[in-house]
Amino acid sequence: MKITYGGHACLLVEEGPVSIVIDPFLTGNPAAGLDPAKIKVNAVVLTHGHNDHFGDALTIAKNNDCPVIAIAELADYCASRGVKSHGMNLGGAYDFGSFRVKLTPAWHSSSYTDENGIVHYTGEPAGVILTIGGKTLYHSGDTALFSDMKLIGEQHRIDVAALPIGDNFTMGPDDAAIAAEWLKAGLVIPIHYNTFPVIRQDPAGFRNQLEAKGIRCATLSPGEQIDV
Ligand code: NI
Ligand code: MN
């Protein structure tokens, strides 16, 4: 599993000929690590409707003639905008052939503000468990720390967990470090920090905190890649 950090909460996951982008907020992201026009994917996965996650989802889905996979209301909204979609809900998993997606709960909020300033209801926020090529990635989405992360860690072997550390809107570093333990994550990638001043954090400090507990951590710059 090859993971490229697109900046903020965006991950591009590639396994052989299959690739999936999660939360492609690239246009308007001051720290974007990918060019949305160059993204070639089999699916776009969204954790929730907030604009710093939805981002270029419609453009990428149109360019690639691929579905947006998301919670039902958000998937329906995407379909109303003329792209393919696949709706799911919390706790549900679906086998897409070359990869499998399961949505988990996330403690957050969700809505999408369109180009005309109209706010759309986009269902509950979610986390994503993506299994591809025998490896499992857990992208928690935007969330508070919650103790059912222990259950996620018990039910799934999490090879890599992408966890927000920005604080203010999501977990901060201390809570994310507890999440990493509860998930028994093989590797943690911190996300959702330093995009804007209000979520400024020190990723090296977070990595030190995890390494002190014996948990591997990879702090990626936007555009940087790692093999898991
Ligand atoms: Ni959000
Ligand atoms: Mn966010």
Side-chain angles (χ1 to χ4, degrees), residues 10 23-24 31 67 69 80 102 105 123 132 139 144-145 150 152-153 176 190 194-195 213 226 228:
C10 175
D23 288 358
I69 300 166
S80 81
K102 183 177 183 181
I132 180 168
H139 184 307
L145 178 65
K150 289 180 192 169
I152 294 172
N194 289 357
T195 319
K213 298 187 196 190
I226 189 169
V228 175

Side-chain angles (χ1 to χ4, degrees), residues 131-219:
T131 303
I132 180 168
K135 293 274 171 70
T136 297
L137 161 75
Y138 170 56
H139 184 307
S140 74
D142 285 359
T143 186
L145 178 65
F146 57 96
S147 58
D148 276 353
M149 285 180 180
K150 289 180 192 169
L151 180 63
I152 294 172
E154 278 167 22
Q155 279 193 306
H156 305 271
R157 194 199 68 220
I158 305 296
D159 296 295
V160 52
L163 302 174
I165 64 161
D167 224 337
N168 194 78
F169 301 112
T170 66
M171 294 189 284
D174 292 349
D175 283 359
I178 294 169
E181 254 180 291
W182 285 351
L183 292 161
K184 293 177 265 173
L187 175 74
V188 173
I189 299 174
I191 59 171
H192 212 277
Y193 66 95
N194 289 357
T195 319
F196 311 108
V198 72
I199 54 171
R200 186 146 296 282
Q201 295 295 338
D202 170 25
F206 176 68
R207 191 180 58 222
N208 291 341
Q209 205 176 336
L210 289 193
E211 286 175 351
K213 298 187 196 190
I215 302 168
R216 288 170 60 227
C217 178
T219 54

